[in-house]
Amino acid sequence: MVQKYQSPVRVYKHPFELVMAAYERRFPTCHLIPMFVASDVVDEETSEDGSTHKIERRCALDVDAPRLLKRIAGVDYVYFIQKNTLNRKERTLHIESHNETFSNRVIINETCCYSVHPENEDWTCFEQNASLDIKSFFGFESTVEKVAMKQYASSIKKGKEIIEYYLKELEDEGVTHVPRWAPPSLSLPAPRPTSLSTSPPDLPKLAVTQDSSTLQADSLTEILAGTPDDKLDADYIKRYLGDLTPLQESCLIRLRKWLQETHKGKIPKDEHILRFLRARDFNMDKAREILCQSLTWRKQHQVDYLLETWSSPQVLQDYYTGGWHHHDRDGRPLYILRLGQMDTKGLVRALGEESLLRHVLSINEEGLRRCEENTKVFGRPISCWTCLVDLEGLNMRHLWRPGVKALLRIIEVVEANYPETLGRLLILRAPRVFPVLWTLVSPFIDENTRKKFLIYAGNDYQGTGGLVDYIDKEIIPDFLGGECMCEVPEGGLVPKSMYRTAEELENEDVRLWTETIYQCASIFKGAPHELLIEIIDASSVITWDFDVCKGDVVFNIYHSKRAPQLPRKDPLGAHGITSPGGNNVQLIDKSWTLGQDYSMVESPLTCKEGESVQGSHITRWPGFYILQWKFHNMPSCSATNLPRVDDVLATLQVSSHKCKVMYYTEVLGSEDFRGSMTSLESSHSGFSQLSAATTSSTQSQSSSMISR
């Protein structure tokens, strides 16, 4: 594979002739480049008028390679042929180099050019590009490639320093001006005074950061990759994109140039291209692939115009508990999300997944805009933001399966189209139920992104090493013990009157997963619905989420060491009633005795019509667990044996003996769980009274939530 390098434009704030005088001092040897041991002039010629000077040198390099490799190669030095063409009239120097040693095995080509800055004739520009193609090298092709790239990157980095060194040497010798070339027949004009501190005029787009005080900051960050003639300046990269290695600069310039030449449409800004390169460790082919996919996605969904066209619905403004809040200590925009106070289930049901996704995309687009603004304000590159997530109030309700599915899709879209935008994620007040959510979500988050997570449980964030290390004390939000008022909504439960039906969402091409992962069951008096879960490994976690659609039910969990008989679906023949829209399965044999054949592992929980219930249970033994939804019989009056009026009225309608639930369950295997199982003590359902660990712990709080 051919390795290529393309440099940014490096600018010397000195006239071309003075830079050439400094350049010539590099020969025949240069003590600043230890590997450059000698050079001999092979050929030299000058035009009659003296305007053009051509010189060919044979240069010897002592490459820093492993001794074994040198012995195998049988050489001490590597020789290169360098051909320089100096055009004093055009004020250019073209340099072409290629390797002489091992030229049949390794092909190295380099071209460099010194020229006058197009907008300031007293400045000099330098560009270079090179290619490396290793055909074969005694089986050490990979090693040779690494050595060559390392040596070349080192020489590139020192290149500008060397010219600056000799310019300073000339200045110390009193040489601050070298006259320009003029035809011999013409008298030379009087040299104008020139010094190294000449104040340049305003800078054009090429050298956009040589003197940032002379520029309008607004115009700088609006520079886009327009045409192939629009080149990046090295100082611009450092000021607006950050410190990059020479090879990283090369990847950015080459990918940018490729987009200019091939991409039809708006070219992304340099900082956006750089994010994709960083996301793929500057592998240009991989970065180009995901960047092109993202550009196509942005065009299809008109994401470039999202901030101008998207208007968040009122329910989001009232119940979405997130918003921008100043910046962190590094100048990054700070986004605060009070996830524990957010009714994710209510938002999904009221809005649908697509509206939530568009809202999150608008947040990311606003984040990009704020990064540009902060880059101007703080005078240094800021390409990502900090997110603070407060989990106070997080419980099993937040693990409602369609909500988690929507969250995973949002994460997937953001990871694919906004890489390297999250600088740091501060997770505060993480409850014990957090590991369950983390188990579900973390596989979808890039490993580099996960390394940026800092998690604080309880009030650990308040001391040294906590929040104050990343955010100035003056802007810590009031709900976290600070003094700064935060305008992030407090959230709350979304009223069910704002919920939309599945049909309404489906008509808008918004499809939730409830119809595929949730099951319906009918429960009748004397005919409960039971679900069998076989557990192989102890300490697994059974989770559930169900809605009581009609009637009142009692929810139980039982354990048995032996398997019940095959499920029998009760057609409810005893009642003469069929069960459209739901099934009814019974597992516990009537001959079984509670306490002998099976045991209760959770206290019964009475659930009213319209309630949503989420919870989990950590299994202590392998075997068979049975989840049961049973018809709730209203207790009769304790003062008399006569039935209550409500009971009498209920018996007059057969439908009063029917209940309906919609449920989803999942088992998290112990081998798949990331983290300590003991951290899930509070993930026992809120009605756990039989678990010794739960009843004995005064600090364990319910994470099973009932929303009415």
Side-chain angles (χ1 to χ4, degrees):
M1 180 179 178
V2 180
Q3 295 287 348
K4 295 183 178 180
Y5 170 77
Q6 172 67 58
S7 76
V9 178
R10 306 190 187 278
V11 178
Y12 301 97
K13 299 181 185 179
H14 308 288
F16 175 79
E17 290 72 20
L18 195 62
V19 173
M20 290 299 98
Y23 174 78
E24 286 299 325
R25 296 200 171 199
R26 297 177 51 173
F27 301 99
T29 60
C30 178
H31 70 279
L32 298 174
I33 312 178
M35 64 179 294
F36 183 34
V37 295
S39 65
D40 299 318
V41 177
V42 177
D43 188 24
E44 185 173 9
E45 63 177 275
T46 304
S47 63
E48 292 184 3
D49 61 0
S51 63
T52 304
H53 179 224
K54 296 182 179 180
I55 186 170
E56 181 176 334
R57 295 184 176 93
R58 187 170 185 262
C59 306
L61 304 181
D62 183 10
V63 178
D64 183 16
R67 183 178 302 177
L68 176 61
L69 188 61
K70 285 187 175 183
R71 291 184 62 183
I72 293 174
V75 298
D76 292 324
Y77 300 128
V78 176
Y79 289 92
F80 278 78
I81 302 299
Q82 183 189 76
K83 297 179 180 180
N84 292 3
T85 302
L86 174 62
N87 190 322
R88 297 187 177 95
K89 182 179 179 179
E90 300 294 335
R91 303 178 76 193
T92 60
L93 172 64
H94 291 280
I95 306 170
E96 296 181 1
S97 303
H98 67 273
N99 63 305
E100 181 184 70
T101 308
F102 301 117
S103 58
N104 61 329
R105 296 180 178 273
V106 180
I107 301 175
I108 301 175
N109 289 303
E110 180 188 55
T111 59
C112 305
C113 179
Y114 287 88
S115 60
V116 177
H117 193 288
E119 301 292 339
N120 188 334
E121 62 179 13
D122 287 328
W123 288 0
T124 305
C125 297
F126 172 75
E127 295 180 77
Q128 69 185 122
N129 60 74
S131 64
L132 168 67
D133 185 9
I134 301 178
K135 303 294 185 181
S136 65
F137 204 86
F138 313 107
F140 289 88
E141 291 80 10
S142 177
T143 303
V144 171
E145 179 178 302
K146 291 178 180 178
V147 170
M149 297 302 292
K150 179 181 178 181
Q151 292 286 326
Y152 194 71
S154 177
S155 65
I156 291 169
K157 192 172 182 180
K158 295 193 66 175
K160 187 174 182 179
E161 298 176 4
I162 293 170
I163 295 296
E164 295 285 2
Y165 173 84
Y166 286 120
L167 285 169
K168 182 64 167 60
E169 189 175 81
L170 287 169
E171 181 184 18
D172 293 341
E173 296 173 4
V175 180
T176 60
H177 174 73
V178 176
R180 296 185 186 178
W181 176 87
S185 60
L186 299 178
S187 58
L188 295 176
R192 57 178 178 172
T194 305
S195 68
L196 299 180
S197 60
T198 302
S199 297
D202 287 348
L203 197 60
K205 65 181 178 181
L206 176 63
V208 294
T209 60
Q210 294 301 316
D211 189 357
S212 58
S213 63
T214 65
L215 297 168
Q216 295 294 330
D218 290 343
S219 64
L220 294 180
T221 54
E222 291 302 319
I223 294 177
L224 300 180
T227 67
D229 294 330
D230 175 21
K231 300 176 181 178
L232 287 182
D233 170 74
D235 292 333
Y236 160 78
I237 292 176
K238 184 175 182 179
R239 165 64 178 82
Y240 286 92
L241 304 179
D243 290 320
L244 304 179
T245 67
L247 297 181
Q248 290 173 347
E249 291 177 338
S250 173
C251 289
L252 172 62
I253 293 167
R254 289 163 53 208
L255 182 54
R256 185 179 187 265
K257 183 178 181 181
W258 181 85
L259 288 170
Q260 293 167 348
E261 295 173 346
T262 62
H263 182 66
K264 296 179 181 180
K266 185 178 180 181
I267 304 297
K269 297 183 179 181
D270 300 323
E271 53 266 36
H272 199 58
I273 299 175
L274 185 58
R275 290 187 181 101
F276 284 86
L277 284 168
R278 283 175 169 152
R280 291 298 177 266
D281 294 324
F282 287 89
N283 183 310
M284 186 171 162
D285 292 334
K286 293 181 179 180
R288 177 169 52 197
E289 180 181 356
I290 61 173
L291 176 57
C292 289
Q293 292 173 355
S294 179
L295 292 177
T296 301
W297 171 82
R298 294 181 71 88
K299 183 178 180 180
Q300 289 176 342
H301 299 281
Q302 297 291 296
V303 179
D304 289 331
Y305 310 102
L306 189 61
L307 289 180
E308 292 77 22
T309 58
W310 167 253
S311 178
S312 58
Q314 189 62 43
V315 65
L316 276 175
Q317 299 178 30
D318 294 339
Y319 296 99
Y320 189 87
T321 56
W324 294 99
H325 181 77
H326 301 283
H327 56 79
D328 68 5
R329 287 183 177 272
D330 296 323
R332 296 166 174 163
L334 176 62
Y335 190 83
I336 292 180
L337 181 64
R338 303 185 67 178
L339 184 60
Q341 305 299 317
M342 185 184 299
D343 181 10
T344 53
K345 183 174 184 177
L347 287 175
V348 172
R349 286 194 165 182
L351 293 169
E353 179 189 333
E354 293 298 323
S355 292
L356 277 177
L357 176 59
R358 285 196 171 272
H359 184 64
V360 173
L361 295 182
S362 70
I363 293 172
N364 281 270
E365 290 295 309
E366 174 66 15
L368 296 178
R369 188 188 66 79
R370 288 176 178 257
C371 285
E372 291 184 18
E373 288 185 353
N374 287 18
T375 296
K376 303 174 191 176
V377 172
F378 293 99
R380 61 178 180 273
I382 295 175
S383 60
C384 54
W385 52 83
T386 293
C387 185
L388 187 156
V389 180
D390 179 23
L391 297 184
E392 177 71 20
L394 186 76
N395 51 54
M396 293 302 292
R397 179 181 175 82
H398 293 86
L399 301 184
W400 181 62
R401 192 63 180 184
V404 173
K405 286 283 189 181
L407 174 61
L408 295 181
R409 186 198 168 195
I410 290 172
I411 291 175
E412 183 181 10
V413 173
V414 171
E415 283 278 318
N417 298 283
Y418 300 91
E420 297 297 315
T421 54
L422 181 64
R424 184 181 294 116
L425 180 66
L426 303 172
I427 299 177
L428 307 184
R429 302 197 280 193
R432 293 182 178 179
V433 70
F434 172 71
V436 180
L437 179 61
W438 180 247
T439 298
L440 298 175
V441 172
S442 61
F444 296 86
I445 303 176
D446 181 75
E447 183 178 356
N448 290 332
T449 303
R450 291 201 298 267
K451 293 177 181 178
K452 302 172 184 177
F453 286 30
L454 296 173
I455 303 173
Y456 298 90
N459 295 323
D460 293 346
Y461 68 92
Q462 294 180 344
T464 304
L467 202 55
V468 291
D469 284 9
Y470 306 101
I471 301 175
D472 288 332
K473 186 177 180 181
E474 294 75 18
I475 64 171
I476 294 179
D478 51 346
F479 63 85
L480 293 176
E483 300 178 356
C484 185
M485 294 298 296
C486 184
E487 298 181 358
V488 174
E490 295 184 358
L493 294 177
V494 177
K496 290 194 174 183
S497 60
M498 304 182 74
Y499 286 9
R500 302 167 70 184
T501 64
E503 290 75 14
E504 290 176 329
L505 296 174
E506 189 173 334
N507 290 337
E508 296 182 5
D509 293 328
V510 180
R511 187 175 294 274
L512 298 179
W513 285 282
T514 52
E515 59 186 30
T516 57
I517 69 169
Y518 276 77
Q519 300 183 50
C520 291
S522 296
I523 298 104
F524 293 84
K525 193 170 185 179
H529 176 70
E530 295 166 344
L531 178 69
L532 179 66
I533 298 177
E534 183 177 3
I535 297 296
I536 304 299
D537 298 325
S539 297
S540 297
V541 182
I542 302 174
T543 64
W544 57 83
D545 175 14
F546 64 87
D547 286 359
V548 183
C549 303
K550 182 179 181 181
D552 299 343
V553 300
V554 177
F555 181 58
N556 291 291
I557 304 180
Y558 301 100
H559 172 263
S560 175
K561 294 182 179 180
R562 61 172 176 162
Q565 295 181 357
L566 292 177
R568 51 187 175 86
K569 292 190 176 182
D570 186 359
L572 306 178
H575 301 275
I577 302 172
T578 59
S579 56
N583 61 349
N584 182 272
V585 178
Q586 297 165 40
L587 300 168
I588 300 177
D589 194 278
K590 295 186 182 296
S591 63
W592 281 16
T593 302
L594 182 63
Q596 296 181 3
D597 300 295
Y598 67 107
S599 59
M600 183 180 293
V601 296
E602 292 279 1
S603 292
L605 176 67
T606 301
C607 308
K608 301 293 184 180
E609 180 177 327
E611 290 183 348
S612 297
V613 181
Q614 297 82 31
S616 65
H617 174 80
I618 301 177
T619 62
R620 294 189 172 186
W621 315 279
F624 300 91
Y625 287 80
I626 300 173
L627 276 59
Q628 182 192 75
W629 290 268
K630 185 173 64 174
F631 183 87
H632 175 55
N633 291 308
M634 295 183 182
S636 58
C637 180
S638 59
T640 175
N641 292 328
L642 294 176
R644 297 187 306 171
V645 175
D646 291 343
D647 295 336
V648 175
L649 294 176
T651 59
L652 298 179
Q653 297 181 358
V654 175
S655 61
S656 66
H657 294 274
K658 176 181 177 180
C659 300
K660 186 176 181 181
V661 295
M662 184 174 68
Y663 66 90
Y664 174 82
T665 64
E666 185 173 5
V667 177
L668 303 178
S670 58
E671 71 279 4
D672 297 327
F673 187 79
R674 303 181 182 186
S676 170
M677 295 302 295
T678 59
S679 65
L680 282 174
E681 283 298 329
S682 65
S683 294
H684 285 280
S685 60
F687 53 92
S688 176
Q689 299 296 329
L690 302 180
S691 169
T694 305
T695 54
S696 63
S697 174
T698 59
Q699 297 178 349
S700 178
Q701 297 179 359
S702 168
S703 62
S704 201
M705 178 176 179
I706 305 172
S707 65
R708 292 172 169 82

